[in-house]
Amino acid sequence: DTGVSQDPRHKITKRGQNVTFRCDPISEHNRLYWYRQTLGQGPEFLTYFQNEAQLEKSRLLSDRFSAERPKGSFSTLEIQRTEQGDSAMYLCASSSGTENTEAFFGQGTRLTVV
Amino acid sequence: GESVGLHLPTLSVQEGDNSIINCAYSNSASDYFIWYKQESGKGPQFIIDIRSNMDKRQGQRVTVLLNKTVKHLSLQIAATQPGDSAVYFCAENRGGATNKLIFGTGTLLAVQP
């Protein structure tokens, strides 16, 4: 499978715990995005990496959220001290460096904070 | 964001009919648009895209129309099939360094057999 891969697919955690999600983009894609999607809404942009550099972060990304892409390949998104409002689908997407090309999404990680 | 709550607009069609899903975008500076299909529990799947220098683009069974004057986008699906049942999102790319996507309100397409 050469698509975007996310792990885990589902995560249930207790409020206050830390969670970490992983995204493996399409191998030749240097652009990587994280989005969050809540029920009934479209995905909302969280953050963007070009290679290993994090170039943009949304206001949605509070101090409890941190994302990395250490070698310019896979990326991780960590949420510290989870809250019930963090429950959502976390989507990763990647695209090539060419402007105006489609972004390919992974299947997402469904987070439930109880 | 562009949230409209839990009640998605719904389009119900009979199998074999044509479907038209509409989308209004907000930024006249957007120069690239994508339609995505999202099935329950899955990530968005690319369907078709269009650049702002075009007003129509056709794919297999799908056509996207772009009206920049009124900032409107539509997706036409010919001979709709049960497998087309999903939520459809339009997304606009406002360019710049990140090429991030801004998603519109989804439309639930329900295909009746």
Side-chain angles (χ1 to χ4, degrees), chain A residues 33 35 37 56 100 103 107, chain B residues 36 38 43 51 97-98 100-101:
Chain A
Y33 306 83
Y35 289 81
Q37 185 177 28
E56 184 170 344
N100 287 347
Q107 299 287 41
Chain B
Y36 285 94
Q38 189 173 27
R51 289 166 173 71
T98 66
K100 66 185 177 188
L101 296 173

Side-chain angles (χ1 to χ4, degrees), chain A residues 29-41:
Chain A
H29 285 180
N30 61 349
R31 295 173 179 259
L32 186 146
Y33 306 83
W34 284 98
Y35 289 81
R36 182 174 69 186
Q37 185 177 28
T38 53
L39 191 63
Q41 300 184 19

Side-chain angles (χ1 to χ4, degrees), chain A residues 5 8 11 13 15 17 19 22 31 33 35 37 40 46 50 56 62 74 79 85-86 88 93 97-98 111:
Chain A
S5 177
K11 178 70 177 178
T13 191
R15 189 173 48 187
Q17 297 294 304
V19 294
R22 177 179 170 122
R31 295 173 179 259
Y33 306 83
Y35 289 81
Q37 185 177 28
L46 290 179
Q50 184 163 326
E56 184 170 344
S62 76
F74 73 92
I79 309 174
D86 297 331
T98 306
L111 173 66

Side-chain angles (χ1 to χ4, degrees), chain A residues 9-10 31 33 35 37-45 48 50 55-56 89 91 95-108 110, chain B residues 1-8 31-32 34 36 38 41-46 49 51 89 93 95-106:
Chain A
R9 291 292 310 278
H10 304 274
R31 295 173 179 259
Y33 306 83
Y35 289 81
Q37 185 177 28
T38 53
L39 191 63
Q41 300 184 19
E44 293 179 293
F45 170 79
Y48 162 68
Q50 184 163 326
L55 297 185
E56 184 170 344
M89 173 80 89
L91 292 161
S95 69
S96 69
T98 306
E99 192 172 323
N100 287 347
T101 59
E102 65 266 31
F104 294 89
F105 282 81
Q107 299 287 41
R110 168 72 67 188
Chain B
E2 296 86 10
S3 64
V4 291
L6 296 177
H7 301 288
L8 284 172
D31 56 5
Y32 179 57
I34 307 175
Y36 285 94
Q38 189 173 27
K42 295 185 178 180
Q45 176 186 356
F46 172 87
D49 59 0
R51 289 166 173 71
F89 291 98
N93 182 329
T98 66
N99 281 339
K100 66 185 177 188
L101 296 173
I102 306 299
F103 283 79
T105 304

Side-chain angles (χ1 to χ4, degrees), chain B residues 3-95:
Chain B
S3 64
V4 291
L6 296 177
H7 301 288
L8 284 172
T10 299
L11 176 65
S12 185
V13 300
Q14 292 292 320
E15 181 178 359
D17 288 350
N18 296 334
S19 303
I20 300 176
I21 300 171
N22 296 303
C23 176
Y25 64 93
S26 57
N27 193 319
S28 57
S30 295
D31 56 5
Y32 179 57
F33 305 88
I34 307 175
W35 279 99
Y36 285 94
K37 172 186 180 183
Q38 189 173 27
E39 297 174 289
S40 181
K42 295 185 178 180
Q45 176 186 356
F46 172 87
I47 302 174
I48 192 168
D49 59 0
I50 189 167
R51 289 166 173 71
S52 59
N53 61 352
M54 304 171 69
D55 52 21
K56 180 179 180 179
R57 189 162 189 229
Q58 289 185 290
Q60 187 176 15
R61 282 203 308 119
V62 295
T63 300
V64 54
L65 299 177
L66 174 62
N67 186 330
K68 295 182 288 293
T69 302
V70 294
K71 292 187 285 188
H72 183 268
L73 203 63
S74 69
L75 176 70
Q76 301 177 0
I77 304 174
T80 313
Q81 302 169 0
D84 295 327
S85 294
V87 177
Y88 289 80
F89 291 98
C90 68
E92 58 181 298
N93 182 329
R94 296 180 181 175

Side-chain angles (χ1 to χ4, degrees), chain A residues 14 16-17 21 23 27 30-31 35 38-41 45-48 54 64 66 70-73 79 81 92 104 113:
Chain A
K14 292 184 178 180
Q17 297 294 304
F21 310 140
C23 170
S27 60
N30 61 349
R31 295 173 179 259
Y35 289 81
T38 53
L39 191 63
Q41 300 184 19
F45 170 79
L46 290 179
T47 190
Y48 162 68
Q54 187 175 20
R64 295 183 297 105
S66 63
K71 298 181 181 179
S73 56
I79 309 174
R81 305 181 303 281
C92 176
F104 294 89
V113 182

